[in-house]
Structure formats: C-alpha cells, structure tokens
Amino acid sequence: MKRLGTILALLLIVVALAMADFQETLDKVDQLHEEEAYAQTKNLIESSLSEAKSGAEKAELHWRLARAWLNLGDEAEDSGTGGEALLAFFESGEAEAQKAIQADANNHLGYYWKSANIGRWGQVKGILNSLFKAKPMRDLLQQAVAVEPEHADSYYVLGQLFEQVPGSVSFGDKDFAVSLGRKSLDLHERQVKAGIEDEINYDFYTEMAKHLWERNYTAARRGREQGRKKKKYQSISDPMEKNFYYEAAVTLKNMSDREEALELINWAIGELKGLSGRTDSQDDDLKEAEEVLESWQ
C-alpha cells in the first residue's frame, strides 16, 4: 500500500509539472501576441502542438493559432498582399479555429476566431461574399456567447454585423446593433476595471459611436423607445434575444444618438492621442476614429 501511495504521489507531481509547463507555453504565446510578434507567435504554437495532451489543451493552442493567422493576414494586407495569397491566411485561420471547436466544443474562443477569420475572408472577396458569410459569422458568435455569456468581443463583433448587414435582405438591425454595442462596452469596461483585461480597447468606443450615428434617434425618440424596450427586456427569457434589447438596462443621457456618438469618438481620440508609446494596433485605432469623425463632418 505504501508503494502504491508513493507511485500515486509521483504521478500527481508529474501531472502538475506537465500542466505548469503547458501554462508557461500559453503565457509565452500570449506575451508574443501582446508584443505583436505574430510570426514568432505562430512558430511557437506550431512547435508546441505536440505538448497538448487533452482536448482542452489542444483547443487552447488551435484558437491561438487561428488568431495568429488572422493577425498575419492583416500584416500581409498592409504590406500589399492581395487575392488568393491573402485569402490563404484567413483560410488557415478558419481551419485552426475549427480544430479548436472539434477539440473542445466548450471553448468559446474557437467559435469566435472562426467567425473572425470568415469575416476577414469575406472582406477580401468583396461585398457580396461578405453578405454571404454574415449569417455563418452571426451563428458562430451566438454560439460563443451561449458558451461564455460574458465574452465582450463577441458582442462587439455582433454589433458591427447587425449595423452593417442590410435589414432588407438579411438580419441587419441598427437598433439591435446599439444594444449589442452597449452590452460589449459595459462588459469590456467591467473587465478592464477587474483586471481581466489589461488595457482599454478604444475601438469598442468607435464602433459604439458608429452604431449610434447610423441609428440616428433624436433625444425624444430615445426616451420613448426605452419604455417599449424595457417591457421586451423584462419579458424575454432567451439570453441571446434579450441582448437585442440590452439598451433598456442602461440609463441614457438626455441627448440624441449623434450627440452621444460625437462625445464617444472625441473621447476615444483624445485618450489615444494622450497615450505615450502607442502600439501599432492603437495607432490603427486612432487612425480609424479620426477617419470616422472626418466622414461625419
């Protein structure tokens, strides 16, 4: 019995060490991602795939590899790559995300990064292909929030989809986009405050501003609509459908949509300009916000 106890103790130690080593690998991958060293990120993940033993561990690597392929595709596009060569990045990303889903269906990030790569593929192919890919993207994002209802990034992208997809021929709805945007922003702010997210993603504010600008409600209409939305919000039990009326849970300022949009985007621009040592991503966010503001003037 003593011998058996010793063997079990040794086995537990080996398992604990293996788990620690794997977590160390994930930490290194995430650090490289934060440093925007995407080629190194990809190489480290690919060399570490053999370390993953369980489905959950494999999923953690595969969704990160899907993210790396998308980031590398964005870099390639900025450098002038286009056509089939550019599409290959996002096709590889989609394939890796699917592997993550197959390895662990309870990991929401597989669904999220598959949707993201499909979306970038559609953008490269053009407007008709983007529209064709919109419903698969929406379904994947809804699956992501079904698994993890607090995933701010999924609501952030859903808001963009519902704003940009035409309601006349598909599921687009600018009012739903505003509620989804508010949901994403509230979650993101709470997660930054709690230390779950390291820093503010200012593009959340730019996208929220765009949703409001496109909806274009007056202050009076915002007030009237809140009463209707509160009834819907309180009566709906389906979690995803409830998010379409999330604005009912928010106290609105006494201003029009476009006044709030200008307030949000000017705040984001001011904050980004005030950052010392902005990352490339933050430079992109600042450029995007300034271009949006200029288009409104």
Side-chain angles (χ1 to χ4, degrees), residues 33 49 64 96 119 143 157 159 164 183 192-193 241 248 258 260 270 279 282 285 295:
H33 172 75
L49 284 170
R64 285 173 168 82
E96 290 299 329
Q143 183 62 44
V157 180
Q164 296 169 16
K183 175 81 171 187
V192 170
K193 188 175 181 179
E241 188 180 355
R258 291 196 168 181
E260 187 182 359
T279 64
Q282 289 168 339
D285 289 345
S295 73

Side-chain angles (χ1 to χ4, degrees), residues 14-262:
V14 169
V15 170
L17 289 172
M19 289 176 65
D21 288 345
F22 185 75
Q23 186 57 52
E24 185 177 339
T25 297
L26 294 182
D27 291 343
K28 288 178 182 177
V29 167
D30 290 340
Q31 182 60 43
L32 287 170
H33 172 75
E34 289 300 318
E35 294 169 1
E36 302 184 2
Y38 302 128
Q40 291 174 261
T41 302
K42 170 182 167 294
N43 292 338
L44 177 56
I45 296 170
E46 289 178 334
S47 67
S48 302
L49 284 170
S50 61
E51 296 177 19
K53 304 305 179 186
S54 67
E57 288 183 348
K58 290 174 184 177
E60 290 293 335
L61 288 175
H62 284 298
W63 75 251
R64 285 173 168 82
L65 191 50
R67 178 181 66 181
W69 276 115
L70 185 144
N71 293 142
L72 287 167
D74 288 345
E75 285 187 339
E77 186 174 38
D78 290 342
S79 300
T81 302
E84 294 299 319
L86 181 57
L87 290 172
F89 285 91
F90 306 121
E91 289 165 359
S92 295
E94 181 184 350
E96 290 299 329
Q98 182 59 34
K99 290 177 184 177
I101 293 168
Q102 290 170 341
D104 183 4
N106 291 316
N107 190 321
H108 62 290
L109 292 168
Y111 304 104
Y112 175 78
W113 286 106
K114 182 175 181 179
S115 175
N117 276 282
I118 289 173
R120 289 294 287 117
W121 186 95
Q123 286 177 336
V124 173
K125 288 290 282 186
I127 186 63
L128 290 178
N129 284 284
S130 292
L131 184 59
F132 176 70
K133 294 291 187 179
K135 285 185 178 179
M137 285 182 67
R138 178 199 63 187
D139 293 346
L140 284 162
L141 291 166
Q142 290 182 339
Q143 183 62 44
V145 297
V147 173
E148 176 45 81
E150 301 291 290
H151 190 231
D153 287 7
S154 287
Y155 296 107
Y156 160 78
V157 180
L158 279 167
Q160 294 173 58
L161 280 176
F162 276 85
E163 179 205 316
Q164 296 169 16
V165 171
S168 56
V169 295
S170 192
F171 60 84
D173 187 303
K174 290 179 172 53
D175 190 37
F176 288 176
V178 169
S179 276
L180 291 164
R182 291 199 190 279
K183 175 81 171 187
S184 72
L185 198 51
D186 284 355
L187 284 171
H188 182 63
E189 288 179 340
R190 291 205 301 268
Q191 289 162 4
V192 170
K193 188 175 181 179
I196 298 169
E197 292 291 339
D198 294 333
E199 60 186 17
I200 295 171
N201 182 341
Y202 292 95
D203 198 52
F204 274 67
Y205 296 87
T206 298
E207 291 301 328
M208 184 69 236
K210 287 161 68 175
H211 302 336
L212 288 163
W213 191 268
E214 287 298 317
R215 188 177 69 170
N216 195 22
Y217 281 3
T218 64
R221 185 174 180 184
R222 278 159 58 113
R224 290 195 305 270
E225 289 289 325
Q226 278 296 82
R228 178 187 66 84
K229 285 181 186 174
K230 283 179 181 176
K231 291 179 182 177
K232 292 285 288 185
Y233 188 73
Q234 292 167 356
S235 66
I236 293 170
S237 58
D238 179 74
M240 188 63 238
E241 188 180 355
K242 199 177 187 74
N243 288 317
F244 295 149
Y245 301 93
Y246 181 77
E247 190 172 41
V250 177
T251 300
L252 300 184
K253 294 182 179 181
N254 185 24
M255 57 174 57
S256 71
D257 277 353
R258 291 196 168 181
E259 286 171 335
E260 187 182 359
L262 288 167

